Amino acid sequence: MNLEQLFVTRQSTREFSDEPVKDCELERICRLATLAPSAVNGQPYKLYAINGEKAKLFAKNIQTNGANKWADSATAYIVIQQTEPVKIERGTRTVSNEPFIANDIGILTAYIALAAEDTDIQSCIAGLRDEKGIAEFLGLPDGTRFPLVVALGHKAEGYPLRDKVRRPFEDTYTLIK
């Protein structure tokens, strides 16, 4: 699939079929996503792929207050854990990725969504999540940060490709010469 097709066909899918996501597909998606650029190459994240029956148990962690009922149909998840900032020496100065961590995780998440679509797996990025529940599920300390979770699966039969409704390009683009 070419890049333009990926951009046009990738959408937030909220109805998945029962067809499982293969472990090797999850690994491919994560491997490609970790090629995303990050400030000072700090890669301020760790990825957890959750598949199979564990995915069904995990769904409740993005269904707080009755939201995201569709999450029960996802067959896999990628959880993004935010890690500690890094500092590097560049000549006589110290540079940290700390101010850019949210940007880096956003870029990583876009790479995950596009790598999934390229693997013929659909996704939905979930910002609503129970970080305490996720930490408990993964056996990590309370207070561990999980900025985003990506639900994955094969779209349900007949799930429509929606038209992309966006502001007019002219309202979002200015060329300055």
Side-chain angles (χ1 to χ4, degrees):
M1 188 178 303
N2 72 39
L3 188 60
E4 186 173 350
Q5 286 175 305
L6 280 174
F7 286 14
V8 170
T9 58
R10 194 272 149 199
Q11 64 183 0
S12 292
T13 298
R14 294 183 182 89
E15 187 180 346
F16 298 98
S17 74
D18 292 337
E19 182 182 349
V21 173
K22 297 175 185 159
D23 292 347
C24 63
E25 293 170 323
L26 283 170
E27 183 177 321
R28 177 183 188 270
I29 292 164
C30 290
R31 189 177 300 281
L32 287 171
T34 60
L35 296 173
S38 62
V40 301
N41 199 27
Q43 297 178 300
Y45 50 77
K46 183 170 179 177
L47 302 176
Y48 295 88
I50 303 169
N51 206 2
E53 289 304 311
K54 294 284 187 182
K56 297 299 179 194
L57 297 172
F58 179 82
K60 69 179 180 180
N61 291 297
I62 65 166
Q63 294 177 313
T64 55
N65 300 322
N68 297 332
K69 292 181 182 183
W70 56 264
D72 286 330
S73 71
T75 58
Y77 290 91
I78 296 173
V79 177
I80 302 169
Q81 176 191 350
Q82 179 178 319
T83 58
E84 294 298 317
V86 297
K87 294 179 182 180
I88 63 167
E89 300 299 323
R90 289 224 169 122
T92 60
R93 63 189 179 105
T94 301
V95 181
S96 172
N97 70 336
E98 188 166 13
F100 309 105
I101 288 176
N103 299 347
D104 292 344
I105 288 175
I107 295 165
L108 170 76
T109 305
Y111 271 53
I112 289 170
L114 292 171
E117 191 67 37
D118 188 57
T119 309
D120 199 27
I121 294 169
Q122 286 66 54
S123 62
C124 188
I125 301 165
L128 182 66
R129 72 238 173 257
D130 174 5
E131 288 189 308
K132 185 175 183 170
I134 294 171
E136 186 177 303
F137 185 91
L138 296 174
L140 296 171
D142 189 19
T144 303
R145 296 279 318 187
F146 303 98
L148 292 170
V149 174
V150 183
L152 299 164
H154 297 276
K155 66 184 175 190
E157 188 173 332
Y159 193 80
L161 178 62
R162 300 180 300 276
D163 288 334
K164 302 247 186 254
V165 179
R166 302 293 187 261
R167 291 186 296 159
F169 181 69
E170 298 75 28
D171 292 351
T172 62
Y173 173 80
T174 301
L175 174 63
I176 300 171
K177 292 172 90 174

